[in-house]
Amino acid sequence: MTELPADPRDPRGLRHDAPMLAAWLDFTRQAEADDLLPMSVPGHKQRQDLVGAVVAGDAPFYGGLDTIKHADNLRVESERRAAELWGADWCRFSVAGSTHGNQALALAVGQPGQEVIINRTLHRSLLLGLVLAGLRPVWVRPDIDPVSGLPAGVAVPAVRDALAAHPDACAVFLGDPTYVGTISDLAGHAAVAHEAGVPLIVDAAWAAHLGFHPELPPHAIAAGADAMVTSAHKALPAYTQGALVLARTERLAAARLDRAFEATHTTSPTGSIMASIDAARALLAADGEWLCGRLIRGVAAARKRLREVPGVDVLDGPGVEPTKLVVLLAGTGAHGNRVEAAIIAAGMPVEMADRDTVVPIPTIADDEDQIARFAEVLIDAIGRHRGAPRQLTVAASWTVEPQTVLAPREAFFAPNETVPAAAAIGRVSAELIAPYPPGVPVLAPGELITAAAVDALREVAADGGRIAYAADPSLHTFQVVVG
Ligand SMILES: Cc1ncc(COP(=O)(O)O)c(C=O)c1O
């Protein structure tokens, strides 16, 4: 291979193992040199004199990274490399997040009307996947840790019992790790699913780094799952929206997976997102163990330091993946939203905060000093907002016990009407309503609206939380199924 001169835009030389990245670097260099006059989309034509720098680096995958006729060869080669790294038979890169990946996997199993075993603490994207695919959920629930009020993984016997009670179910879908980094026995889940003759599919949105260091749990494919979706933009240094869908083809057919993936993916993926997934995969292959080791050490030190602060606790132990930092505030009396505002003001936005919890997302991009610096700013913010220690309350997202009256798809398409909150109780919800984050629906299409669910949502709103996807986020009215 001819050695290219070092490119400051690719400081680690990842292009040698990342064909999409190499193509993106070449295309954007040509564009920057003003050597292109594209008579094709995107409409900005690589010019920055119209809408400005906001389109810098945008290169279409088809017709930019390679010609429209040949770009699939480039795609197949990069996705093959990712499949190999994760030990999968099939892989696709998505520019539409794990949201799209979850929906593609819902479309890849069974037939409309069939049941799937699935955890109710699922992300809303997967619930909408059930709507798209017409699958009927059989809910399983995680255990709630009484000390933290947060969900643990789903226990294997819960899935085994559900499969025994629903022998026609066509798949098991689990979210693992949970939003707060707790993990379940995926190998055990794979064994019971396979005993029942169905695939295990894992929403591992937060876990693109798992399996790349001996102290980390294995990733879902290594644990025996048949498919997993993961957000390259969450745990890895990829562009926002970048995600991977990976599968084994013993129980899932490659052609059906492709059809399902293409059904809702854009026909115009951006090359920058695709190339960044490729680059993140090459980075993991080259330096994943070292980077994950650094992150594990940084988080371990932060957990230790935070625990020294009176009233502060952190999630820890063998059931929590070692790179997750979940900070528990009830013992300090500080309100998580106020603590969050203080750390945002210090330039350190976090992924999530509610009254009792703050969830920052350290990743392999952070070094130990950065994580330590964040911990000190957090400790200072907690100190400035201390109050009387309180009992923790368990968030509605983790405790919801829905009564499913209609399948999500039936309710989604049923005639509906808008009624005042008081009149909505006892009716069937036509809409999905989720405090976000974590994006776990408290009400889903087809579920009975109970006073408990309405009260729980109102509590979140009153406490400053975001009520997402509701037609009326003030919660004065609800959309219900007619009849
Ligand atoms: C468990 C889980 N699955 C899927 C998603 C969707 O991921 P994305 O934002 O990449 O579409 C999220 C987003 O936070 C999530 O928490």
Side-chain angles (χ1 to χ4, degrees):
M1 188 195 317
T2 328
E3 268 310 303
L4 292 164
D7 184 344
R9 300 177 309 148
D10 176 25
R12 290 169 181 262
L14 295 175
R15 66 174 295 144
H16 298 298
D17 177 36
M20 284 185 188
L21 173 66
W24 180 87
L25 288 165
D26 292 346
F27 179 86
T28 49
R29 181 180 295 289
Q30 215 185 338
E32 279 160 25
D34 211 10
D35 262 358
L36 275 175
L37 177 57
M39 283 298 145
S40 56
V41 294
H44 57 67
K45 304 292 182 96
Q46 306 300 323
R47 285 170 54 170
Q48 291 184 33
D49 59 333
L50 297 170
V51 294
V54 71
V55 292
D58 180 41
F61 183 75
Y62 291 99
L65 268 52
D66 204 339
T67 61
I68 292 178
K69 292 190 178 63
H70 291 131
D72 276 327
N73 299 336
L74 179 66
R75 178 180 66 68
V76 167
E77 176 52 24
S78 292
E79 290 171 344
R80 184 196 65 71
R81 290 178 193 222
E84 190 176 290
L85 184 66
W86 269 274
D89 306 319
W90 179 96
C91 172
R92 294 296 305 266
F93 292 178
S94 173
V95 300
S98 288
T99 296
H100 167 241
N102 274 333
Q103 294 173 357
L105 290 173
L107 288 168
V109 299
Q111 287 149 21
Q114 274 195 292
E115 288 182 324
V116 289
I117 313 300
I118 186 163
N119 61 304
R120 183 55 180 76
T121 42
L122 81 181
H123 185 255
R124 47 90 55 178
S125 59
L126 193 45
L127 202 131
L128 271 305
L130 302 186
V131 170
L132 291 173
L135 297 168
R136 309 175 84 88
V138 174
W139 299 121
V140 286
R141 293 159 46 77
D143 299 327
I144 301 297
D145 171 17
V147 178
S148 64
L150 294 171
V154 173
V156 173
V159 170
R160 184 190 293 125
D161 293 350
L163 281 166
H166 298 267
D168 293 331
C170 64
V172 175
F173 281 83
L174 293 176
D176 198 273
T178 64
Y179 186 79
V180 292
T182 45
I183 48 178
S184 61
D185 171 10
L186 281 185
H189 285 302
V192 299
H194 296 166
E195 230 165 81
V198 299
L200 169 67
I201 294 175
V202 179
D203 173 1
W206 293 98
H209 61 303
L210 290 195
F212 289 96
H213 187 282
E215 286 168 35
L216 291 174
H219 55 71
I221 295 285
D226 298 276
M228 69 179 250
V229 55
T230 190
S231 294
H233 72 94
K234 292 194 195 303
L236 304 182
Y239 241 102
T240 298
Q241 295 180 208
L244 295 126
V245 191
L246 295 139
R248 286 219 186 89
T249 51
E250 197 182 330
R251 293 174 192 82
L252 294 167
R256 170 79 181 266
L257 284 161
D258 274 319
R259 278 206 300 281
F261 182 94
E262 292 292 356
T264 49
H265 201 219
T266 174
T267 46
S268 314
T270 178
S272 44
I273 299 181
M274 299 286 272
S276 77
I277 301 170
D278 195 27
R281 187 272 314 147
L283 179 70
L284 261 190
D287 291 326
E289 185 167 335
W290 178 79
L291 289 165
C292 288
R294 179 177 75 169
L295 175 60
I296 292 167
R297 287 193 302 279
V299 171
R303 286 181 182 175
K304 182 166 177 291
R305 173 74 183 102
L306 284 158
R307 274 232 176 90
E308 289 164 4
V309 178
V312 175
D313 204 354
V314 294
L315 274 197
D316 209 345
V320 185
E321 74 100 337
T323 72
K324 199 81 189 181
L325 191 53
V326 176
V327 186
L328 309 172
L329 296 178
T332 69
H335 192 300
N337 291 355
R338 285 193 206 108
V339 171
E340 180 190 31
I343 48 187
I344 289 174
M348 295 185 174
V350 291
E351 163 69 21
M352 184 205 140
D354 61 16
R355 193 184 74 154
D356 292 334
T357 326
V358 176
V359 184
I361 306 288
T363 73
I364 58 171
D366 294 299
D367 65 26
E368 287 156 278
D369 286 349
Q370 285 165 322
I371 300 173
R373 199 147 56 83
F374 168 77
E376 293 309 321
V377 169
L378 177 61
I379 289 166
D380 179 62
I382 294 169
R384 283 189 281 128
H385 292 95
R386 271 187 183 280
R390 53 173 186 263
Q391 288 293 106
L392 64 85
T393 43
V394 182
S397 300
W398 312 131
T399 52
V400 60
E401 284 202 45
Q403 296 176 50
T404 304
V405 181
L406 293 175
R409 184 182 175 87
E410 285 164 40
F412 186 90
F413 289 110
N416 62 78
E417 60 184 331
T418 303
V419 298
I425 291 164
R427 302 284 299 271
V428 176
S429 181
E431 59 183 334
L432 184 152
I433 306 181
Y436 210 111
V440 173
V442 166
L443 266 181
E447 291 178 359
L448 195 70
I449 301 179
T450 60
V454 173
D455 288 349
L457 286 167
R458 283 193 172 142
E459 251 172 63
V460 174
D463 214 23
R466 170 184 168 219
I467 301 294
Y469 316 114
D472 175 5
S474 76
L475 302 172
H476 288 113
T477 61
F478 287 78
Q479 295 206 306
V480 299
V481 170
V482 172

